[in-house]
Amino acid sequence: MEISARNALKGTVQKVEAGAVNTEVTLEIAPGVSITAIITKASADKLGLIEGKEAYAVIKASDVMVAID
């Protein structure tokens, strides 16, 4: 796979929640660390996303915010 985005986090699909139009996909990228994405249902179906399957969270953003509590 070749991609221009600099941040690709490999993980395992933890949860797939399909809706009528979009699907929420949660990947575990490290023990106890997960990231969630909302993608189209058609894309999730095309990728065959199921729990336990390896996948990548690809992040391409022009802005990253930093906050403190």
Side-chain angles (χ1 to χ4, degrees), residues 7-65:
N7 301 299
L9 307 171
K10 187 175 184 178
T12 303
V13 177
Q14 261 185 335
K15 183 169 55 170
V16 179
E17 291 188 38
V21 177
N22 292 321
T23 298
E24 185 175 297
V25 182
T26 302
L27 300 179
E28 182 177 47
I29 57 173
V33 179
S34 61
I35 190 165
T36 302
I38 297 176
I39 63 175
T40 64
K41 184 177 183 313
S43 292
D45 291 345
K46 182 178 177 183
L47 293 171
L49 296 176
I50 59 170
E51 290 181 17
K53 184 173 185 170
E54 288 189 347
Y56 291 85
V58 180
I59 302 164
K60 177 132 178 135
S62 57
D63 297 307
V64 175
M65 293 183 205

